[in-house]
Amino acid sequence: MSLDDIIYRRGPTAQERFLGSPKQSLLRWANSDMIRLVCISDTHNAHQSIPSPLPGGDILMHAGDLTNSGTEAELDDVLSWLAVQPHAHEIFIGGNHDVGLSDAKTLDRLLAAYPELTYLEDSETMVTACGRSLRIFGSPRTPRYGNAHHLDAGGLGCEALLRALWVVRPLVHVFGHVHAGRGVERVRWSPAQQAQERLCAGIGEWLDIIRVVSELIRLMVFGRYRVSVQETTLVNAACVHGWRDELRGAAFVVDI
């Protein structure tokens, strides 16, 4: 792909968006205040080979590991790609590979070069879209990995982060790092969910089994959850995945 192709890349037309996802397009038309998030992560210098163009939306979020080595040249390349995407708001955080972002002078130069982008490091920003305001917090910190049980490839997540989610209960949590855990999961913050997590951690008891089974039976009978229970959409948006990271996944789209 040439530089001109990157600079003048157009976003998908309304017809292309509809044909690509008729159901989501109709839902979005029926709910005009719905905000569309486009989520990617762990591009590791492979951003040019990700299925493109990226889906249209209101907010583009990159959850870190933009590069392999975190050099200024690598960061400049991927940020120039992010900056020309067709989204009104483009937000990113660093990952453990993006070491160049820890250098204040490098970070200042990059942010000055791409004012379209918002960088978050243990900080938040307010975004207004579709007549609504969202508070978005971003951080590269992971206190510890090697446990937890959501989109983490079988126990590679962070227990401290999971505990924080139980407290905050955001609408959406976008993350990456564990490539094999790529996917989307909706979590409802209920006693049954707590029981399931205890069972997955190997510390569950018979009461936890009863709670989980009861919830499954209720869902099969009534076919839906109680409206009063809060929920969060978890998005492991890792784009590079596969046994040798040879696969390239498309962006995830979440409407809220």
Side-chain angles (χ1 to χ4, degrees):
M1 181 178 290
S2 69
L3 182 60
D4 283 352
D5 290 334
I6 298 171
I7 294 174
Y8 299 109
R9 177 186 296 169
R10 66 171 179 84
T13 65
Q15 181 182 11
E16 289 170 339
R17 287 196 298 270
F18 178 79
L19 293 176
S21 181
K23 181 179 178 180
Q24 285 190 335
S25 297
L26 290 173
L27 286 173
R28 186 169 172 81
W29 175 79
N31 299 276
S32 58
D33 63 343
M34 188 174 289
I35 297 175
R36 173 159 292 181
L37 309 179
V38 179
C39 310
I40 58 176
S41 182
D42 296 85
T43 48
H44 289 290
N45 292 340
H47 46 282
Q48 300 291 5
S49 59
I50 293 171
S52 61
L54 292 180
D58 303 297
I59 305 172
L60 172 62
M61 307 178 75
H62 194 306
D65 276 356
L66 301 94
T67 68
N68 280 328
S69 302
T71 65
E72 185 170 355
E74 286 182 340
L75 288 165
D76 183 70
D77 185 55
V78 65
L79 293 182
S80 67
W81 174 79
L82 274 180
V84 298
Q85 297 303 319
H87 307 87
H89 307 279
E90 295 162 344
I91 300 169
F92 73 101
I93 65 170
N96 62 302
H97 285 260
D98 306 320
V99 293
L101 296 176
S102 61
D103 180 80
K105 291 183 179 179
T106 298
L107 179 60
D108 288 344
R109 283 195 296 269
L110 290 170
L111 295 182
Y114 303 106
E116 308 91 337
L117 305 179
T118 299
Y119 172 68
L120 298 179
E121 183 177 345
D122 303 324
S123 57
E124 64 182 43
T125 185
M126 292 295 295
V127 171
T128 300
C130 302
R132 296 165 55 199
S133 294
L134 288 182
R135 184 173 67 174
I136 301 175
F137 176 83
S139 174
R141 317 296 174 195
T142 302
R144 181 182 180 183
Y145 73 93
N147 41 40
H149 304 281
H150 295 286
L151 302 175
D152 60 359
L156 297 178
C158 175
E159 185 177 0
L161 184 55
L162 179 58
R163 288 198 302 268
L165 287 175
W166 272 96
V167 174
V168 179
R169 303 183 183 187
L171 285 174
V172 181
H173 174 47
V174 183
F175 57 99
H177 188 63
V178 181
H179 301 173
R182 169 182 164 82
V184 178
E185 179 181 343
R186 181 169 292 178
V187 172
R188 301 187 70 87
W189 307 109
S190 66
Q193 178 63 43
Q194 285 183 315
Q196 179 188 0
E197 290 176 3
R198 283 194 292 268
L199 290 170
C200 290
I203 58 174
E205 301 177 350
W206 279 106
L207 181 58
D208 295 314
I209 297 175
I210 293 171
R211 282 177 174 165
V212 172
V213 172
S214 298
E215 185 74 0
L216 290 174
I217 293 173
R218 193 188 63 76
L219 284 173
M220 287 188 290
V221 173
F222 296 103
R224 60 185 177 85
Y225 289 102
R226 291 183 293 273
V227 176
S228 59
V229 178
Q230 289 180 285
E231 67 178 34
T232 295
T233 300
L234 305 179
V235 184
N236 181 338
C239 291
V240 171
H241 62 113
W243 180 251
R244 296 182 180 275
D245 290 340
E246 75 281 7
L247 303 178
R248 303 291 182 264
F252 287 106
V253 174
V254 178
D255 290 327
I256 58 175

